[in-house]
Amino acid sequence: MTVVTKNISIDTATLPVMERFYTIQGEGFHQGKAAYFIRLGGCDVGCHWCDVKDSWDAEKHPYINVDQLADEAAQYPGRLAVITGGEPLMHNLGALTKALHKKGFQTHIETSGSSPLSGSLDWVTLSPKKFKAPLPEVCKVANELKVVIFNKSDFAWAEKYAALAGKHCKLYLQPEWGRAAEMTPLIIDYIKDNPQWTLSLQVHKYINVP
Ligand code: SF4
């Protein structure tokens, strides 16, 4: 039985799943690789430009057993699983990441970093949000920092989180999808002056895959 308090699943053998699908990772360091995406329900961050607002209420989504999720993912040949949301760290990811590892998956997460880390994660993509700041513990372990640029002032905000990240962390600037026409040229100029950053584009949206 699953006990739910404030959208946090206590029994982590089941998790609220909005959707899951096999596709190509469209963003960041692992862009272009085949990946099985598991989008968990539940988010308490509240970005006004969020394109997955249906994910916010965990209770709208069916609770699915983690072994079933891993079995379904393993029907495809790729062995990279991306846990996303919503805000996936609202849930304890221990059981899910264990089930995925048992099937030979690398476990990746895309998170705002605003809730404590859990589970055994092979790759942490931190995408900080202004509406609920990331925890220092997530900044420190992030493998990649992906900052969405909505307006000019976001470059200074990106640098703030780059300073909190570890030396190993890869740094990406990504235009907000609806503002890409205006922001991409500014990002290109910024990266030319600050080459520690790399451009990330949401390639899956250009090639029309989920
Ligand atoms: Fe949407 Fe992600 Fe922001 Fe949550 S953290 S509101 S899912 S963009």
Side-chain angles (χ1 to χ4, degrees):
M1 186 184 155
T2 302
V3 180
V4 178
T5 311
K6 291 184 185 170
N7 286 351
I8 296 172
S9 171
I10 303 300
D11 174 5
T12 56
T14 64
L15 291 167
V17 179
M18 178 177 170
E19 57 181 350
R20 64 266 203 213
F21 50 90
Y22 188 53
T23 186
I24 296 287
Q25 168 58 285
E27 306 175 9
F29 184 77
H30 294 284
Q31 183 186 79
K33 295 182 184 173
Y36 191 83
F37 276 70
I38 299 172
R39 185 182 305 286
L40 298 179
C43 184
D44 61 355
V45 179
C47 309
H48 66 83
W49 44 261
C50 177
D51 58 2
V52 283
K53 286 183 175 152
D54 276 352
S55 71
W56 290 7
D57 183 356
E59 298 312 295
K60 276 191 183 166
H61 305 289
Y63 279 72
I64 300 177
N65 182 278
V66 293
D67 290 318
Q68 181 188 334
L69 289 172
D71 283 347
E72 288 176 7
Q75 288 171 13
Y76 300 94
R79 284 296 175 269
L80 194 166
V82 181
I83 305 166
T84 186
E87 173 40 69
L89 288 178
M90 287 190 72
H91 308 283
N92 186 316
L93 300 178
L96 176 59
T97 52
K98 192 173 172 192
L100 289 166
H101 276 153
K102 257 198 233 163
K103 295 284 180 185
F105 282 91
Q106 290 284 299
T107 55
H108 293 197
I109 189 174
E110 297 184 345
T111 178
S112 67
S114 55
S115 292
L117 285 163
S118 61
S120 175
L121 299 163
D122 298 309
W123 189 268
V124 176
T125 299
L126 171 62
S127 185
K129 303 294 187 299
K130 289 185 177 152
F131 312 91
K132 195 171 179 208
L135 301 174
E137 69 177 69
V138 186
C139 296
K140 265 187 218 143
V141 304
N143 299 94
E144 71 182 319
L145 172 67
K146 185 177 68 185
V147 180
V148 175
I149 300 294
F150 193 83
N151 58 46
K152 279 184 194 171
S153 65
D154 291 338
F155 291 110
W157 187 69
E159 293 295 354
K160 172 181 159 184
Y161 286 104
L164 295 174
K167 285 205 178 353
H168 64 285
C169 186
K170 299 183 185 310
L171 306 177
Y172 289 92
L173 296 172
Q174 180 174 296
E176 199 278 325
W177 178 247
R179 304 262 295 147
E182 297 96 323
M183 289 302 123
T184 305
L186 299 184
I187 294 174
I188 290 168
D189 284 345
Y190 191 85
I191 290 172
K192 283 157 77 179
D193 289 339
N194 300 276
Q196 69 274 27
W197 291 94
T198 298
L199 175 64
S200 173
L201 295 174
Q202 293 177 292
V203 164
H204 54 297
K205 294 191 178 178
Y206 291 97
I207 60 174
N208 281 323
V209 299

